Amino acid sequence: MEENMFTNPVLDGCADPDVIYYEGTYYLYATNTDMKDDSEMGFKVYTSKDLVHWHDAGMALKACDSWGEKQFWAPDIIYTNGLFYLSYSVEEHLCIATSRSPLGPFVQEVKKPLHEDTKEIDSHFFQDADGTWYLYFVRFFDSNQIWGAKMTDDLLGIREETLTRLLVPDTPWECIQWPVNEAPYMLLHKGLYYLTYSGSHCLSDYGSGYAVSDSPLGVFRKYENNPILRSNENVHGVGHHCITWSPDKKDMFIIYHRHYDLTKMSPRRLCVDRIRFEEQDNGPDILVVDGPVTTPQPCFFQA
Protein backbone atom coordinates (compact mmCIF):
# COMPACT_ATOMS: atom_id res chain seq x y z
CA MET A 1 0.00 0.00 0.00
CA GLU A 2 1.23 3.52 -0.76
CA GLU A 3 2.73 5.38 2.17
CA ASN A 4 -0.02 8.02 2.14
CA MET A 5 -2.82 5.42 2.24
CA PHE A 6 -4.30 3.43 5.11
CA THR A 7 -7.03 0.86 5.76
CA ASN A 8 -9.24 0.58 8.84
CA PRO A 9 -8.85 -0.62 11.53
CA VAL A 10 -5.95 1.57 12.68
CA LEU A 11 -5.41 0.18 16.21
CA ASP A 12 -6.03 -3.29 17.66
CA GLY A 13 -7.10 -4.30 21.16
CA CYS A 14 -9.03 -1.14 21.99
CA ALA A 15 -12.63 0.00 22.42
CA ASP A 16 -14.59 3.02 23.70
CA PRO A 17 -11.97 5.58 22.59
CA ASP A 18 -11.42 9.22 23.46
CA VAL A 19 -8.80 11.54 21.98
CA ILE A 20 -7.27 14.87 22.98
CA TYR A 21 -5.01 17.04 20.81
CA TYR A 22 -2.31 18.69 22.88
CA GLU A 23 0.80 20.56 21.77
CA GLY A 24 0.92 18.99 18.31
CA THR A 25 0.17 15.40 19.32
CA TYR A 26 -3.01 13.32 19.55
CA TYR A 27 -3.36 11.27 22.74
CA LEU A 28 -5.81 8.36 22.74
CA TYR A 29 -7.27 6.50 25.75
CA ALA A 30 -9.47 3.43 25.43
CA THR A 31 -10.83 0.30 27.05
CA ASN A 32 -8.12 -2.37 26.87
CA THR A 33 -9.75 -5.40 25.25
CA ASP A 34 -6.54 -7.41 24.91
CA MET A 35 -4.87 -7.35 28.33
CA LYS A 36 -1.79 -9.57 28.63
CA ASP A 37 -1.78 -9.60 32.46
CA ASP A 38 -2.93 -7.60 35.51
CA SER A 39 -0.18 -5.02 34.99
CA GLU A 40 -2.29 -3.70 32.10
CA MET A 41 -5.38 -3.22 34.29
CA GLY A 42 -6.30 0.44 33.89
CA PHE A 43 -5.77 2.55 30.76
CA LYS A 44 -3.00 2.77 28.23
CA VAL A 45 -2.27 5.94 26.29
CA TYR A 46 -1.41 6.00 22.59
CA THR A 47 0.10 8.89 20.63
CA SER A 48 -0.19 9.90 16.99
CA LYS A 49 0.49 12.82 14.67
CA ASP A 50 -2.10 11.87 12.04
CA LEU A 51 -4.90 9.80 13.70
CA VAL A 52 -3.81 6.79 11.64
CA HIS A 53 -0.43 5.66 12.96
CA TRP A 54 -0.52 5.08 16.73
CA HIS A 55 2.28 4.43 19.25
CA ASP A 56 1.74 2.64 22.57
CA ALA A 57 3.09 5.09 25.20
CA GLY A 58 2.44 2.85 28.21
CA MET A 59 0.04 2.95 31.14
CA ALA A 60 -1.61 6.31 31.77
CA LEU A 61 -3.62 5.05 34.75
CA LYS A 62 -2.90 1.92 36.75
CA ALA A 63 -5.56 0.15 38.77
CA CYS A 64 -3.64 0.73 41.99
CA ASP A 65 -4.11 4.50 41.56
CA SER A 66 -7.90 4.25 41.34
CA TRP A 67 -10.92 2.96 43.19
CA GLY A 68 -11.94 -0.47 41.96
CA GLU A 69 -10.05 -3.49 40.75
CA LYS A 70 -11.45 -4.51 37.35
CA GLN A 71 -13.69 -3.52 34.43
CA PHE A 72 -11.88 -0.29 33.56
CA TRP A 73 -13.99 1.06 30.69
CA ALA A 74 -14.57 4.07 28.47
CA PRO A 75 -12.12 6.81 29.51
CA ASP A 76 -12.77 10.45 28.59
CA ILE A 77 -10.08 13.14 28.69
CA ILE A 78 -9.98 16.94 29.02
CA TYR A 79 -7.32 19.56 29.80
CA THR A 80 -8.08 22.72 31.75
CA ASN A 81 -6.35 24.95 34.30
CA GLY A 82 -3.05 23.09 33.96
CA LEU A 83 -4.53 19.66 34.71
CA PHE A 84 -5.66 16.68 32.67
CA TYR A 85 -8.86 15.06 33.93
CA LEU A 86 -9.67 11.46 33.08
CA SER A 87 -13.23 10.30 33.67
CA TYR A 88 -13.95 6.57 33.37
CA SER A 89 -15.97 3.69 34.75
CA VAL A 90 -14.70 0.95 37.06
CA GLU A 91 -16.89 -1.98 38.03
CA GLU A 92 -19.80 0.04 36.53
CA HIS A 93 -19.16 3.10 38.71
CA LEU A 94 -17.77 6.49 37.63
CA CYS A 95 -14.39 7.80 38.76
CA ILE A 96 -12.26 10.86 37.89
CA ALA A 97 -8.44 10.99 38.11
CA THR A 98 -6.00 13.81 37.33
CA SER A 99 -2.48 14.25 36.03
CA ARG A 100 -0.07 17.03 35.06
CA SER A 101 0.82 15.16 31.87
CA PRO A 102 -1.31 13.50 29.17
CA LEU A 103 0.96 10.48 29.56
CA GLY A 104 0.08 10.18 33.24
CA PRO A 105 0.36 8.89 35.80
CA PHE A 106 -3.31 9.67 36.45
CA VAL A 107 -4.23 9.34 40.11
CA GLN A 108 -7.61 9.41 41.83
CA GLU A 109 -6.82 11.40 44.96
CA VAL A 110 -9.93 10.26 46.85
CA LYS A 111 -10.51 6.63 45.96
CA LYS A 112 -14.26 6.37 45.74
CA PRO A 113 -16.77 6.57 42.87
CA LEU A 114 -19.01 9.53 42.14
CA HIS A 115 -22.06 7.55 43.30
CA GLU A 116 -21.38 4.50 45.45
CA ASP A 117 -24.95 3.16 45.24
CA THR A 118 -25.64 3.81 41.52
CA LYS A 119 -24.20 1.94 38.55
CA GLU A 120 -22.97 4.30 35.82
CA ILE A 121 -20.72 4.02 32.74
CA ASP A 122 -19.64 5.93 29.62
CA SER A 123 -18.92 9.36 31.04
CA HIS A 124 -18.11 12.36 28.83
CA PHE A 125 -16.93 15.87 29.71
CA PHE A 126 -18.29 18.89 27.80
CA GLN A 127 -17.54 22.59 28.22
CA ASP A 128 -20.22 25.01 27.04
CA ALA A 129 -19.45 28.30 25.31
CA ASP A 130 -19.91 30.16 28.61
CA GLY A 131 -17.27 28.01 30.32
CA THR A 132 -19.68 25.78 32.25
CA TRP A 133 -18.62 22.13 32.45
CA TYR A 134 -21.07 19.25 32.11
CA LEU A 135 -20.77 15.51 32.58
CA TYR A 136 -22.82 13.06 30.50
CA PHE A 137 -23.06 9.38 31.36
CA VAL A 138 -25.19 6.23 31.26
CA ARG A 139 -27.43 4.79 33.97
CA PHE A 140 -29.16 1.39 33.95
CA PHE A 141 -32.89 0.89 34.46
CA ASP A 142 -35.11 -1.19 32.17
CA SER A 143 -32.79 0.17 29.47
CA ASN A 144 -29.45 1.96 29.13
CA GLN A 145 -30.23 5.68 29.42
CA ILE A 146 -28.16 8.84 28.99
CA TRP A 147 -28.14 11.38 31.81
CA GLY A 148 -26.34 14.70 32.27
CA ALA A 149 -25.52 17.28 34.92
CA LYS A 150 -23.45 20.39 35.57
CA MET A 151 -20.12 19.68 37.23
CA THR A 152 -18.78 21.02 40.50
CA ASP A 153 -16.11 23.71 40.36
CA ASP A 154 -13.29 21.23 40.99
CA LEU A 155 -14.51 18.99 38.10
CA LEU A 156 -14.47 15.99 40.40
CA GLY A 157 -18.24 15.66 40.86
CA ILE A 158 -21.63 16.82 39.66
CA ARG A 159 -24.21 19.27 40.97
CA GLU A 160 -26.86 16.75 41.97
CA GLU A 161 -29.69 19.28 41.68
CA THR A 162 -28.98 19.59 37.93
CA LEU A 163 -29.11 15.84 37.22
CA THR A 164 -31.35 15.28 34.18
CA ARG A 165 -32.38 12.27 32.11
CA LEU A 166 -31.70 13.18 28.49
CA LEU A 167 -32.20 10.16 26.21
CA VAL A 168 -33.94 6.80 26.44
CA PRO A 169 -34.00 4.16 23.67
CA ASP A 170 -37.37 4.57 21.97
CA THR A 171 -36.83 3.77 18.29
CA PRO A 172 -36.42 0.32 16.69
CA TRP A 173 -32.75 0.68 15.68
CA GLU A 174 -31.83 1.37 19.33
CA CYS A 175 -33.58 -1.68 20.78
CA ILE A 176 -32.10 -4.73 19.04
CA GLN A 177 -31.44 -7.44 21.69
CA TRP A 178 -31.62 -4.77 24.43
CA PRO A 179 -32.83 -1.13 24.53
CA VAL A 180 -29.65 0.96 24.61
CA ASN A 181 -28.68 4.61 24.48
CA GLU A 182 -25.03 4.89 25.57
CA ALA A 183 -21.61 6.40 24.77
CA PRO A 184 -22.64 10.09 24.78
CA TYR A 185 -20.47 12.65 23.00
CA MET A 186 -21.46 16.32 22.73
CA LEU A 187 -20.82 18.88 19.98
CA LEU A 188 -21.79 22.56 19.99
CA HIS A 189 -22.53 23.80 16.46
CA LYS A 190 -24.18 27.07 15.42
CA GLY A 191 -25.70 27.49 18.87
CA LEU A 192 -27.21 23.99 18.95
CA TYR A 193 -26.18 21.01 21.06
CA TYR A 194 -25.64 17.77 19.15
CA LEU A 195 -25.60 14.80 21.52
CA THR A 196 -24.22 11.80 19.66
CA TYR A 197 -24.68 8.32 21.12
CA SER A 198 -24.73 4.60 20.36
CA GLY A 199 -27.76 2.33 20.24
CA SER A 200 -28.72 -1.37 20.56
CA HIS A 201 -26.81 -4.20 22.21
CA CYS A 202 -23.10 -4.19 21.40
CA LEU A 203 -23.37 -7.72 19.97
CA SER A 204 -26.19 -6.77 17.60
CA ASP A 205 -26.65 -4.28 14.79
CA TYR A 206 -24.78 -1.65 16.83
CA GLY A 207 -24.56 1.90 15.52
CA SER A 208 -24.56 5.61 16.37
CA GLY A 209 -26.98 8.49 15.99
CA TYR A 210 -27.56 11.93 17.48
CA ALA A 211 -30.14 14.24 19.01
CA VAL A 212 -30.31 18.06 18.97
CA SER A 213 -31.29 20.59 21.64
CA ASP A 214 -31.20 24.32 22.32
CA SER A 215 -29.75 23.58 25.77
CA PRO A 216 -26.96 21.30 27.06
CA LEU A 217 -29.47 19.50 29.31
CA GLY A 218 -32.28 19.22 26.80
CA VAL A 219 -34.96 18.74 25.67
CA PHE A 220 -33.25 16.66 22.92
CA ARG A 221 -34.89 15.75 19.60
CA LYS A 222 -33.51 12.67 17.87
CA TYR A 223 -32.51 12.96 14.21
CA GLU A 224 -35.19 11.29 12.11
CA ASN A 225 -32.69 9.47 9.87
CA ASN A 226 -30.63 7.85 12.63
CA PRO A 227 -28.37 5.94 12.75
CA ILE A 228 -25.65 7.86 10.94
CA LEU A 229 -23.06 5.10 11.52
CA ARG A 230 -24.10 1.46 11.43
CA SER A 231 -22.71 -2.05 11.12
CA ASN A 232 -22.96 -3.71 7.71
CA GLU A 233 -22.05 -6.94 5.95
CA ASN A 234 -18.34 -6.04 6.01
CA VAL A 235 -17.90 -4.80 9.57
CA HIS A 236 -19.75 -5.56 12.82
CA GLY A 237 -20.12 -3.70 16.09
CA VAL A 238 -19.33 -0.14 14.99
CA GLY A 239 -20.33 2.25 17.73
CA HIS A 240 -18.91 3.87 20.85
CA HIS A 241 -16.99 6.84 19.50
CA CYS A 242 -15.31 10.17 20.02
CA ILE A 243 -14.96 13.10 17.64
CA THR A 244 -11.87 15.19 16.98
CA TRP A 245 -10.50 17.69 14.48
CA SER A 246 -7.51 18.10 12.19
CA PRO A 247 -4.74 20.34 13.56
CA ASP A 248 -6.01 23.25 11.43
CA LYS A 249 -9.57 22.69 12.74
CA LYS A 250 -10.93 22.42 9.18
CA ASP A 251 -11.83 18.71 9.14
CA MET A 252 -13.68 16.56 11.67
CA PHE A 253 -13.17 12.85 12.34
CA ILE A 254 -14.99 10.11 14.22
CA ILE A 255 -12.97 7.43 15.99
CA TYR A 256 -14.98 4.34 16.89
CA HIS A 257 -14.57 0.69 17.71
CA ARG A 258 -15.62 -2.38 15.76
CA HIS A 259 -15.65 -6.10 16.44
CA TYR A 260 -12.43 -7.99 15.77
CA ASP A 261 -13.96 -9.62 12.69
CA LEU A 262 -17.28 -10.93 11.42
CA THR A 263 -17.22 -13.94 13.77
CA LYS A 264 -16.03 -12.64 17.16
CA MET A 265 -16.26 -9.41 19.15
CA SER A 266 -12.94 -9.17 21.02
CA PRO A 267 -10.28 -8.00 21.03
CA ARG A 268 -12.02 -5.02 19.48
CA ARG A 269 -10.32 -2.63 17.08
CA LEU A 270 -10.44 1.11 16.37
CA CYS A 271 -11.34 2.82 13.11
CA VAL A 272 -11.30 6.44 12.00
CA ASP A 273 -13.46 8.07 9.32
CA ARG A 274 -14.61 11.52 8.34
CA ILE A 275 -17.70 13.13 9.89
CA ARG A 276 -19.11 16.50 8.88
CA PHE A 277 -21.98 18.93 9.26
CA GLU A 278 -24.10 19.34 6.14
CA GLU A 279 -26.34 22.37 5.66
CA GLN A 280 -30.04 21.86 4.98
CA ASP A 281 -32.54 24.08 3.18
CA ASN A 282 -34.87 23.73 6.15
CA GLY A 283 -33.90 22.94 9.71
CA PRO A 284 -30.56 22.59 11.47
CA ASP A 285 -27.41 21.22 9.87
CA ILE A 286 -27.20 17.43 9.93
CA LEU A 287 -24.28 15.20 10.90
CA VAL A 288 -23.02 12.86 8.18
CA VAL A 289 -20.46 10.06 8.62
CA ASP A 290 -18.42 8.83 5.67
CA GLY A 291 -18.19 5.27 6.90
CA PRO A 292 -17.66 2.67 8.01
CA VAL A 293 -14.93 2.60 5.35
CA THR A 294 -13.15 -0.75 4.97
CA THR A 295 -11.25 -0.12 1.73
CA PRO A 296 -7.91 1.72 1.38
CA GLN A 297 -8.25 5.49 1.66
CA PRO A 298 -5.85 8.45 1.69
CA CYS A 299 -4.41 9.58 5.01
CA PHE A 300 -6.39 12.57 6.18
CA PHE A 301 -3.48 14.96 6.58
CA GLN A 302 0.31 14.95 6.77
CA ALA A 303 1.94 14.52 10.15
Side-chain angles (χ1 to χ4, degrees):
M1 185 180 300
E2 296 181 18
E3 186 176 345
N4 63 343
M5 302 288 288
F6 80 97
T7 302
N8 280 317
V10 297
L11 185 61
D12 288 344
C14 295
D16 315 324
D18 194 41
V19 166
I20 190 171
Y21 185 68
Y22 178 72
E23 294 187 346
T25 298
Y26 292 95
Y27 296 84
L28 182 147
Y29 311 79
T31 302
N32 188 346
T33 67
D34 192 24
M35 281 192 299
K36 303 301 187 292
D37 54 54
D38 285 347
S39 69
E40 295 187 345
M41 188 69 70
F43 297 108
K44 288 185 176 182
V45 55
Y46 300 82
T47 60
S48 175
K49 296 292 187 179
D50 62 4
L51 297 177
V52 171
H53 303 94
W54 292 96
H55 168 70
D56 184 344
M59 296 297 295
L61 179 141
K62 296 180 179 180
C64 61
D65 290 324
S66 170
W67 177 88
E69 298 179 352
K70 59 184 186 298
Q71 295 175 318
F72 282 76
W73 297 342
D76 193 82
I77 183 79
I78 58 169
Y79 175 72
T80 184
N81 297 327
L83 276 179
F84 294 87
Y85 293 78
L86 192 71
S87 179
Y88 53 97
S89 60
V90 188
E91 300 177 22
E92 297 182 335
H93 288 74
L94 295 185
C95 295
I96 298 175
T98 60
S99 173
R100 292 287 179 183
S101 167
L103 296 175
F106 283 85
V107 175
Q108 188 184 19
E109 297 295 343
V110 180
K111 290 182 172 60
K112 66 177 183 179
L114 263 65
H115 301 108
E116 296 184 77
D117 299 326
T118 306
K119 287 191 172 185
E120 298 163 326
I121 62 170
D122 291 359
S123 53
H124 169 62
F125 295 108
F126 169 73
Q127 188 177 31
D128 202 357
D130 66 1
T132 303
W133 283 98
Y134 293 82
L135 192 69
Y136 300 90
F137 49 90
V138 172
R139 285 185 164 182
F140 307 125
F141 295 90
D142 56 350
S143 60
N144 291 21
Q145 304 175 1
I146 294 175
W147 292 63
K150 290 183 179 181
M151 299 200 72
T152 53
D153 291 341
D154 61 6
L155 300 184
L156 297 177
I158 64 168
R159 300 184 185 278
E160 299 292 340
E161 71 277 9
T162 69
L163 184 62
T164 307
R165 184 170 66 175
L166 305 179
L167 293 181
V168 298
D170 55 8
T171 61
W173 81 268
E174 303 167 343
C175 299
I176 302 170
Q177 292 188 29
W178 184 255
V180 171
N181 281 175
E182 64 184 17
Y185 196 96
M186 180 68 82
L187 296 171
L188 177 59
H189 176 71
K190 294 184 179 179
L192 294 176
Y193 299 85
Y194 288 72
L195 182 57
T196 67
Y197 63 96
S198 295
S200 283
H201 193 283
C202 63
L203 290 174
S204 72
D205 193 14
Y206 201 47
S208 293
Y210 70 90
V212 181
S213 176
D214 300 318
S215 166
L217 292 179
V219 175
F220 282 90
R221 304 169 297 280
K222 291 181 178 177
Y223 175 48
E224 61 184 5
N225 291 320
N226 280 337
I228 60 172
L229 176 69
R230 193 166 195 174
S231 305
N232 59 37
E233 67 275 7
N234 297 314
V235 54
H236 289 175
V238 300
H240 194 133
H241 62 270
C242 68
I243 296 170
T244 192
W245 287 260
S246 58
D248 62 10
K249 299 291 186 180
K250 293 181 178 179
D251 297 301
M252 192 163 60
F253 306 95
I254 183 169
I255 303 174
Y256 58 93
H257 70 232
R258 53 172 275 189
H259 291 172
Y260 181 79
D261 58 23
L262 299 179
T263 63
K264 65 177 182 178
M265 182 177 80
S266 287
R268 283 171 285 178
R269 316 168 88 178
L270 295 188
C271 301
V272 56
D273 284 314
R274 292 184 180 273
I275 183 173
R276 66 186 187 277
F277 285 102
E278 195 172 273
E279 292 186 359
Q280 301 298 294
D281 292 334
N282 297 296
D285 294 355
I286 63 171
L287 270 172
V288 178
V289 176
D290 297 328
V293 178
T294 55
T295 55
Q297 58 181 312
C299 292
F300 304 119
F301 49 86
Q302 296 299 314

